[in-house]
Amino acid sequence: GAGVSQTPSNKVTEKGKYVELRCDPISGHTALYWYRQSLGQGPEFLIYFQGTGAADDSGLPNDRFFAVRPEGSVSTLKIQRTERGDSAVYLCASSLGGLAGVDTQYFGPGTRLTVL
Amino acid sequence: AQTVTQSQPEMSVQEAETVTLSCTYDTSESDYYLFWYKQPPSRQMILVIRQEAYKQQNATENRFSVNFQKAAKSFSLKISDSQLGDAAMYFCAVTISNFGNEKLTFGTGTRLTIIP
C-alpha cells in the first residue's frame, strides 16, 4: 500500500476483555515497530520486529501484551484482560530495515483504544 | 538508554513569522540520529527533518532547519515563514543504530499554534 495502515481506527472495550490491533506496513519494509502514546505524552516503544521475529520486546509493559507478525508483513498487537490503564493510542511504524545507517520510520494513523 | 527533553509544552507564532522549538537529549552513544516529527490532529506522525550526529552541517528541509549543538546535546527546530498547516504537536526523537533495531525515544512534545 501507499502507507502504513492500522485497523480499527478506534476501539472501545470493557475492562477484562481481549483486543487485537492490526498494522499493515509499507510493502517491502522488513522492520516494524509498535509504540504506545498516552494522553499528553510522546510515543513509547513497545516491540520491534525484523521480518517475522520479535527482535526486541523490551517495551511490552507486562505479559498481557503480545504481538505477532507471522508472514513478515501484517502485525497484530494483542492485549489480554484489558485494564483502564491500557487506554492510549497505539502507533505502528515500518521502515526498510537495512543494516547500514538508520532508516526513516513511517507511521500509521494509530488505533485509539479506550477501556471502560 | 536515551532520554529526550522538550521544555516547551506550548508555543505560538504569528503566520509568516519564525519560531524555534527546543529539544535536549542525552545518550552515551557516539553514533546516533535525531529526528523531528510532526503530529497533526489526524494522529499520524510525519517526519519533518533528521540529523545524523556525525554530520557537522545542520540539516535543512525547505522552511525547516535545525540547530544541532552536539557538545550541548541540543537539537532545536526552526520553522521559517510559518503557515497555518504547520499547526501540530512536534516531537523530538533520538535513536541509535543497533544492528537494525532503531527504536525511537521521544520527548513529550510541543504544541505549536499558528496565529493568523
Side-chain angles (χ1 to χ4, degrees):
Chain A
V4 179
S5 61
Q6 292 186 246
T7 54
S9 178
N10 292 281
K11 176 71 177 178
V12 180
T13 190
E14 294 179 345
K15 180 176 178 296
K17 299 289 189 182
Y18 168 84
V19 297
E20 290 189 353
L21 312 180
R22 175 188 168 107
C23 171
D24 202 335
I26 293 172
S27 178
H29 281 192
T30 61
L32 186 145
Y33 301 81
W34 283 98
Y35 296 87
R36 179 167 73 174
Q37 186 175 20
S38 300
L39 193 62
Q41 301 297 315
E44 293 181 318
F45 168 78
L46 294 177
I47 187 169
Y48 155 64
F49 285 91
Q50 180 58 256
T52 60
D56 181 358
D57 64 359
S58 62
L60 295 178
N62 51 60
D63 60 7
R64 294 187 297 105
F65 288 74
F66 189 71
V68 295
R69 193 185 185 199
E71 298 180 356
S73 179
V74 171
S75 175
T76 305
L77 179 65
K78 308 181 180 191
I79 309 175
Q80 298 177 323
R81 305 183 303 280
T82 51
E83 300 178 356
R84 292 194 180 88
D86 298 335
S87 296
V89 173
Y90 290 81
L91 296 168
C92 175
S94 70
S95 70
L96 283 171
L99 295 180
V102 164
D103 296 312
T104 295
Q105 292 182 31
Y106 296 88
F107 284 78
T111 294
R112 181 180 299 281
L113 175 66
T114 303
V115 182
L116 301 176
Chain B
Q2 285 65 243
T3 61
V4 177
T5 302
Q6 293 181 251
S7 59
Q8 305 157 315
E10 297 185 355
M11 292 282 285
S12 61
V13 63
Q14 206 80 30
E15 193 177 2
E17 296 297 311
T18 296
V19 64
T20 298
L21 308 183
S22 301
C23 171
T24 58
Y25 61 92
D26 194 19
T27 178
S28 58
E29 302 291 329
S30 58
D31 185 17
Y32 55 90
Y33 299 75
L34 297 159
F35 302 83
W36 277 98
Y37 276 90
K38 168 185 176 181
Q39 187 178 43
S42 66
R43 298 197 306 244
Q44 188 153 9
M45 302 284 278
I46 302 165
L47 178 68
V48 174
I49 198 165
R50 60 180 276 168
Q51 173 83 41
E52 289 80 358
Y54 64 84
K55 290 186 177 179
Q56 294 186 344
Q57 188 171 7
N58 288 325
T60 62
E61 285 288 342
N62 301 313
R63 298 182 296 107
F64 300 88
S65 61
V66 299
N67 183 6
F68 175 45
Q69 300 290 328
K70 192 171 184 178
K73 293 186 178 176
S74 170
F75 182 61
S76 60
L77 174 69
K78 185 172 83 171
I79 306 174
S80 304
D81 185 26
S82 298
Q83 300 177 359
L84 294 177
D86 295 333
M89 285 292 293
Y90 285 80
F91 291 95
C92 179
V94 64
T95 189
I96 61 173
S97 182
N98 185 14
F99 299 100
N101 185 352
E102 298 163 359
K103 58 187 175 185
L104 295 163
T105 300
F106 288 88
T108 53
T110 296
R111 181 177 303 280
L112 178 64
T113 301
I114 311 296
I115 303 166

